[in-house]
Amino acid sequence: MLTRRSVVLGLAGLLATGGLAACGDSPNAGNDGKTVTALNVGMPNGPQTENHNPFLTTSSAASLGYRWVLYEPLMMWNPVKPADQMKPWLATKAEWNKDYTSVKVTIRDNATWSDDQKVTAEDVAFTYKLVRDNEALNSGGVKIADATVSGSDVTITFKSPQFVSQQKAIAQIPIVPKHIWEKVSDPKTEKNLKPVGSGPYTLKSFTPQTTTLSARDKGYWQALPQVKELRYTSYTDNNAQTTALANGESEWSFVFIPNYKTVFVAKDSANHKVWAPPVLGIHGLYINTTKAPFDDPNLRKAMNMVIDREDIFKTAEAEYFHPLVKSVNGLPSPAGDAFTAPEYKGKEHKVDIDGAKALLASSGYKLEGDVLKDKTGKPVALTLTDPAGWSDYQTSLEIVKGNLAKIGIAATVDKANQDAWFKNVEEGNFDAAFRWTEGGSTPYDIYKTIMDGAVLKPIGTASPAGNFGRFKSDEATAALQAYANATDEAARTTAMNTLQKIFVDQMPMIPVGADNIGGAYSTKNWIGWPDDSNPYGAGQPTQPNSLDVVLHLKPAK
């Protein structure tokens, strides 16, 4: 799956009146539902700087999600049902070798770029070499070795087995035209102001508030979309985005909506929908394990015992946005049930203040009145930090602060600047912070984000790939490598069980909620959205399968 909580995921705020209107009149306005032509997509990301580079996670194309309707991957993966076979897309098939170190993809022969040139196997091989040779373009960290062409086939080889990263390798890399990008001098700074892609849309106009795309009238390899125009508006914050959803100005978004049933659904109960399916990615409290006394697993376990996950789910997450994780091993249900080790099946987290106090006492801590003192006699205190605008996380931190006070830990809440927060967390300059994990088709990505020694960096050196808490466990690192490199299911099961035991016994990160990959949308003008009855893909406009969603849409009238 994509990086599990993009900046978009984190943005949060209470509903307020007013908001940033889309520039110009809506193309659907005044048509009384007779000739719906446009879909209004919104994200709460603030004014954008024009950048259509499909590889950069910081570009406007990535921030709003429109990169995936301009550019296409080889295969289409459904993160809601991660074990399902991928759907052929620019490639008609993908054949992996036994140890997942190479895949042969067959490129369809009827796809063209938006400048009418043919999509070829050479374009695909070029793209993979481009990503290989430019780390800044490789947001999924795919270990590409080479890509060779034989007719319509491209064989992509990797430096290590890709069993756990199949979707990143062939369903999350946008394919670009060689004849355009071979002329780019510096791909990592390229703004790609005149994008040429294989998708069914082309750029019509850009402003810092709204990017408008038009459907191609010919040359697309499958049926043209019924949505003839896509308007991506970037609202100032969650308040403005939620207001736009509530009044119908925006028809599709991924945004945290406090009290969503009242402020959004009830405004048009027949058409306003929220779908938030849980996936194999989680959110929780990362703890800096390099700072005493939080380098003590027993202290971290005691903290886990008193944090009220259910209160956070109900109070901070509006009972939907981050589905409650009840398991002791941090895996969301039902997505993680099949992977759960025998000793943890059916075991759920329970708040146990007395048990936490007993564990601390037996570990050398002393509770003097309402102050917990560590083994050196120093009061235990920490700072909890998350960006000021992420209201769900800020509320979560306040709940955690109250929970920890029950065992004598003094916590303060820091409402950080978002850019500074990202930098400090990645560099390990924090005490504790709510953050997310990567996600994928197995729990591997969850545990890798939290415990992987292969990405362990010293304090002060950025670690964007994970292990923000600087957790050091050679056993966990070896188990992650064993899982990724295994060639049979028995070996994978053994490694996965080991990872769960390390996680439960040492608690490097306290799990609270699952990631969701849904969205808020309206059926007033467009129908065909994914939902529980037809979960064909993620309902989030920034995901790689957002094009598949758009192609499913039909006018409601």
Side-chain angles (χ1 to χ4, degrees), residues 185-396:
S185 59
D186 189 353
K188 68 178 181 294
T189 61
E190 172 62 31
K191 293 183 178 180
N192 193 32
L193 298 181
K194 296 181 179 180
V196 173
S198 65
Y201 290 90
T202 58
L203 178 67
K204 180 179 181 181
S205 63
F206 176 90
T207 73
Q209 288 75 40
T210 300
T211 302
T212 303
L213 307 180
S214 297
R216 294 167 61 174
D217 56 10
K218 61 182 178 62
Y220 187 51
W221 60 269
Q222 58 179 321
L224 289 169
Q226 296 191 45
V227 178
K228 299 305 177 186
E229 187 169 285
L230 287 167
R231 293 167 62 93
Y232 290 82
T233 297
S234 191
Y235 294 88
T236 54
D237 54 24
N238 275 28
N239 303 344
Q241 176 62 77
T242 303
T243 299
L245 283 167
N247 65 26
E249 176 185 293
S250 183
E251 299 172 280
W252 186 20
S253 182
F254 182 71
V255 60
F256 175 62
I257 309 174
N259 197 17
Y260 74 98
K261 292 180 182 178
T262 299
V263 301
F264 172 58
V265 175
K267 298 299 182 182
D268 185 354
S269 58
N271 294 304
H272 287 180
K273 311 292 182 183
V274 169
W275 186 54
V279 291
L280 283 175
I282 64 173
H283 296 244
L285 190 70
Y286 282 85
I287 301 170
N288 192 327
T289 64
T290 68
K291 292 190 175 185
F294 302 100
D295 55 349
D296 181 357
N298 284 336
L299 177 58
R300 300 194 298 265
K301 289 168 69 175
M303 293 168 65
N304 174 60
M305 292 169 72
V306 300
I307 289 179
D308 193 335
R309 302 182 191 180
E310 189 166 355
D311 188 16
I312 291 171
F313 174 62
K314 291 180 178 179
T315 306
E317 301 299 343
E319 297 187 76
Y320 87 99
F321 198 66
H322 291 144
L324 179 63
V325 170
K326 297 182 179 180
S327 65
V328 296
N329 61 2
L331 299 185
S333 183
D337 293 349
F339 301 94
T340 297
E343 62 263 41
Y344 304 126
K345 287 188 181 296
K347 290 189 177 181
E348 296 185 351
H349 173 269
K350 304 290 184 185
V351 173
D352 185 0
I353 297 171
D354 291 337
K357 290 179 178 179
L359 174 61
L360 290 169
S362 67
S363 303
Y365 296 83
K366 293 182 179 180
L367 185 60
E368 298 180 0
D370 59 357
V371 177
L372 181 69
K373 293 189 175 180
D374 65 20
K375 300 170 187 179
T376 68
K378 183 179 179 180
V380 179
L382 81 167
T383 298
L384 308 171
T385 181
D386 274 295
W390 299 2
S391 69
D392 59 333
Y393 273 12
Q394 286 294 325
T395 302
S396 298

Side-chain angles (χ1 to χ4, degrees), residues 375-538:
K375 300 170 187 179
T376 68
K378 183 179 179 180
V380 179
L382 81 167
T383 298
L384 308 171
T385 181
D386 274 295
W390 299 2
S391 69
D392 59 333
Y393 273 12
Q394 286 294 325
T395 302
S396 298
L397 293 183
E398 291 293 343
I399 292 172
V400 169
K401 175 182 176 180
N403 295 157
L404 295 179
K406 296 178 180 179
I407 55 173
I409 298 177
T412 56
V413 174
D414 171 44
K415 297 183 178 181
N417 169 272
Q418 181 175 299
D419 292 340
W421 178 86
F422 268 105
K423 182 176 187 294
N424 287 333
V425 170
E426 290 187 355
E427 293 182 357
N429 294 314
F430 72 103
D431 292 345
F434 261 76
R435 206 184 191 281
W436 53 96
T437 70
E438 289 293 316
S441 57
T442 75
Y444 170 85
D445 293 274
I446 293 176
Y447 293 131
K448 177 179 173 61
T449 309
I450 299 168
M451 303 191 293
D452 190 8
V455 298
L456 180 63
K457 305 291 185 184
I459 298 295
T461 300
S463 179
N467 203 343
F468 310 111
R470 269 57 182 179
F471 179 68
K472 181 172 173 51
S473 169
D474 293 340
E475 186 182 13
T477 302
L480 284 164
Q481 292 174 346
Y483 188 88
N485 295 328
T487 57
D488 63 83
E489 199 57 39
R492 291 190 192 101
T493 298
T494 298
M496 181 56 62
N497 291 352
T498 298
L499 290 167
Q500 292 174 56
K501 180 171 175 52
I502 295 169
F503 183 83
V504 172
D505 289 348
Q506 301 194 45
M507 201 53 59
M509 177 263 215
I510 298 173
V512 173
D515 202 356
N516 94 70
I517 200 112
Y521 57 85
S522 172
T523 60
K524 181 178 181 180
N525 291 321
W526 299 100
I527 58 174
W529 302 94
D531 56 21
D532 284 333
S533 66
N534 187 19
Y536 63 82

Side-chain angles (χ1 to χ4, degrees), residues 39-207:
L39 172 67
N40 295 300
V41 187
M43 295 301 290
N45 295 2
Q48 298 290 302
T49 299
E50 186 170 15
N51 189 326
H52 312 303
N53 190 317
F55 300 107
L56 302 181
T57 58
T58 55
S59 70
S60 56
S63 176
L64 302 183
Y66 62 83
R67 61 173 167 167
W68 297 114
V69 300
L70 296 173
Y71 296 91
E72 299 176 288
L74 295 173
M75 306 290 283
M76 191 65 69
W77 177 66
N78 182 2
V80 181
K81 302 178 72 176
D84 283 6
Q85 291 291 319
M86 297 185 199
K87 185 188 300 184
W89 211 256
L90 275 185
T92 59
K93 61 181 178 179
E95 300 171 310
W96 289 91
N97 67 351
K98 183 178 180 181
D99 64 0
Y100 288 87
T101 56
S102 73
V103 60
K104 184 172 75 173
V105 292
T106 302
I107 310 307
R108 64 176 63 255
D109 61 6
N110 61 334
T112 62
W113 301 107
S114 55
D115 63 0
D116 295 330
Q117 293 200 36
K118 183 178 176 60
V119 175
T120 68
E122 291 288 349
D123 292 313
V124 174
F126 170 83
T127 298
Y128 274 80
K129 292 176 183 178
L130 183 71
V131 172
R132 177 197 64 188
D133 297 338
N134 294 273
E135 185 177 0
L137 310 187
N138 193 358
S139 61
V142 181
K143 299 182 183 302
I144 303 165
D146 202 3
T148 57
V149 174
S150 177
S152 296
D153 295 333
V154 181
T155 299
I156 307 163
T157 55
F158 303 92
K159 298 175 183 178
S160 61
Q162 298 297 298
F163 174 81
V164 297
S165 304
Q166 296 174 61
Q167 78 283 2
K168 294 178 182 179
I170 59 174
Q172 294 181 359
I173 293 178
I175 306 303
V176 297
K178 178 181 178 181
H179 66 277
I180 299 290
W181 282 79
E182 66 183 354
K183 300 173 185 176
V184 172
S185 59
D186 189 353
K188 68 178 181 294
T189 61
E190 172 62 31
K191 293 183 178 180
N192 193 32
L193 298 181
K194 296 181 179 180
V196 173
S198 65
Y201 290 90
T202 58
L203 178 67
K204 180 179 181 181
S205 63
F206 176 90
T207 73

